Amino acid sequence: MLNASSLKFFDELMRTSGPSGFEIPCAAVFRKRLEPFADELYVDVTGNSIAILNPDSPFRIMLAGHYDEIGFQVVYITDEGLVTFRAVGGIDKVTLPGLEVDILTATGKVPGVIGRKPIHLQTPKERETVMEINDLWIDIGAESRSEAEKLISIGDPVAFRVNYARFGKNRVMSKGLDDKIGAFVIAEAFRLLSERDCKLGVYAVGTVQEELGLRGAKTSSFAIDPQAAIAVDVGFATDVPGVEKKQWGDVTLGGGPIICRNADINPVLYSRLISAAKKGKIPVQIEAGHRASGGTDTAQIQLSRAGVATALVSIPNRYMHTPVEMCDLRDAENAAKLIADTISSLDEKTTFIPGIDGV
């Protein structure tokens, strides 16, 4: 099981808010956790946090987990003191009316609720139609524009209200599990490797702006120039009604981390992950990916400079991109162990060129 300090870190990380482009609180928690284990630790101009083991090693392997989350941004304040907003990242509009949010200002959080016209006042067609974001608003209780402007500013980021909770013995529910649980996993793998006296150069990167186009992964991988990289994100759990397994594969919460196979994945590194899982008796699930390429930091890192050998380990997630995502801590624990075991099996002479030695 995850130790007490690991669970404390996870709890603290899940209670932060960091929509894409505004990740500073999440980054601070990530760095605080990794500082005792790192030989070097720094932040780049994009906002990525990079912890390093053995910075002088010529062999560099990058771990990436993004700690940004989907959210919103203040666009306008009406004469009545209501706040209009735009989406930051891919938002499921069906889930929005009635939600509690926090506007993240320079002086602290301002609570609000997402409002819409009551169902009693809607036409039959309106009741059957998903409202667009520009038909919704955030109510912060202000009675006028001038009152609202004393509390918030145009451009302030908006996050779903912190709602982290343990469900049962092993499962967790929260907004922003995509992908704070991935950042948590790479931090845990980094800790394990530091305790094993790893000799390779390991770069654990909390990446930013993944939800806006894998932007942090692009800048950090260019700077690090790794030979190999493992990204950790969330993957679709298909153990709920209405998800067609013939199309999306068979993935269950608690069934183990997902190892992806698609064009983003280096076959040698993939084989190393499979071998480590078998040797360590770590349960894993294999998926072909929900697309042939793209969608995670792996896709951007793979194409950095002259190319990087990349792999993707995912944590099964129900209700992705809603405020009530759900994951299983056993999958996160096993993912961290899988990554640490895989890196422990490498040395400075390891090559990832496909077609060598039959791989």
Side-chain angles (χ1 to χ4, degrees):
M1 293 294 293
L2 297 167
N3 63 35
S5 64
S6 298
L7 291 172
K8 181 181 178 182
F9 162 54
F10 185 70
D11 183 279
E12 188 175 358
L13 187 61
M14 295 313 305
R15 295 185 189 280
T16 61
S17 294
S20 295
F22 301 91
E23 303 93 345
I24 291 174
C26 309
V29 173
F30 182 83
R31 292 195 299 273
K32 177 183 174 183
R33 172 60 175 173
L34 290 183
E35 186 174 13
F37 312 114
D39 295 320
E40 291 184 10
L41 180 65
Y42 71 96
V43 188
D44 68 16
V45 71
T46 313
N48 300 299
S49 298
I50 300 97
I52 310 172
L53 286 177
N54 307 314
D56 295 328
S57 172
F59 186 101
R60 296 172 300 281
I61 185 162
M62 175 178 170
L63 306 179
H66 71 91
Y67 42 52
D68 64 303
E69 60 189 275
I70 58 172
F72 313 97
Q73 196 169 11
V74 172
V75 172
Y76 178 73
I77 302 171
T78 71
D79 291 341
E80 297 77 18
L82 300 173
V83 180
T84 67
F85 59 96
R86 70 179 178 202
V88 175
I91 302 290
D92 186 347
K93 295 177 291 186
V94 175
T95 67
L96 297 185
L99 284 182
E100 295 181 278
V101 296
D102 286 317
I103 300 178
L104 310 177
T105 77
T107 57
K109 296 179 181 179
V110 174
V113 294
I114 296 179
R116 65 173 290 182
K117 184 166 62 175
I119 190 171
H120 314 74
L121 305 183
Q122 296 171 22
T123 66
K125 183 178 180 180
E126 286 176 329
R127 294 177 186 178
E128 298 174 358
T129 303
V130 177
M131 296 192 73
E132 297 297 325
I133 286 178
N134 58 14
D135 293 322
L136 304 173
W137 58 85
I138 298 172
D139 193 332
I140 61 173
E143 298 181 23
S144 65
R145 176 185 291 167
S146 62
E147 183 180 347
E149 288 176 338
K150 294 176 182 177
L151 300 171
I152 67 172
S153 300
I154 302 301
D156 279 343
V158 183
F160 296 130
R161 181 73 51 83
V162 170
N163 61 344
Y164 170 67
R166 295 287 296 268
F167 273 34
K169 183 179 180 181
N170 297 300
R171 292 178 178 178
V172 290
M173 182 282 300
S174 181
K175 61 99 174 182
L177 280 167
D178 180 4
D179 181 39
K180 291 187 180 70
I181 199 166
F184 169 75
V185 166
I186 68 164
E188 280 296 287
F190 189 87
R191 175 184 66 83
L192 292 173
L193 288 165
S194 72
E195 294 170 352
R196 296 181 186 184
D197 194 30
C198 174
K199 300 300 184 183
L200 302 179
V202 181
Y203 294 69
V205 186
T207 60
V208 297
Q209 300 185 40
E210 190 271 356
E211 299 292 357
L212 298 181
L214 320 178
R215 294 158 65 90
K218 182 176 184 177
T219 58
S220 57
S221 60
F222 184 92
I224 294 167
D225 191 18
Q227 284 90 341
I230 301 173
V232 182
D233 212 313
V234 290
F236 297 107
T238 62
D239 56 352
V240 293
V243 180
E244 179 56 67
K245 294 183 179 181
K246 289 189 294 183
Q247 181 178 2
W248 303 113
D250 189 1
V251 176
T252 63
L253 259 64
I258 305 163
I259 304 179
C260 181
R261 296 188 77 184
N262 66 6
D264 299 336
I265 308 308
N266 175 270
V268 180
L269 189 51
Y270 171 84
S271 295
R272 288 282 192 164
L273 285 164
I274 295 297
S275 296
K278 290 179 178 178
K279 184 177 180 179
K281 298 182 179 179
I282 300 170
V284 296
Q285 306 179 81
I286 310 299
E287 71 165 12
H290 66 283
R291 60 179 78 177
S293 176
T296 71
D297 280 345
T298 310
Q300 188 59 251
I301 298 168
Q302 182 193 36
L303 300 179
S304 181
R305 293 182 180 251
V308 178
T310 48
L312 175 63
V313 175
S314 302
I315 309 303
N317 183 3
R318 291 177 181 169
Y319 324 124
M320 198 182 299
H321 278 212
T322 76
V324 292
E325 297 178 328
M326 186 177 292
C327 294
D328 193 302
L329 287 174
R330 292 171 295 186
D331 296 329
E333 180 181 21
N334 282 319
K337 186 176 186 301
L338 174 65
I339 292 168
D341 287 358
T342 300
I343 293 175
S344 295
S345 74
L346 308 177
D347 59 44
E348 292 184 357
K349 297 181 180 179
T350 302
T351 177
F352 299 99
I353 299 174
I356 303 298
D357 297 328
V359 179

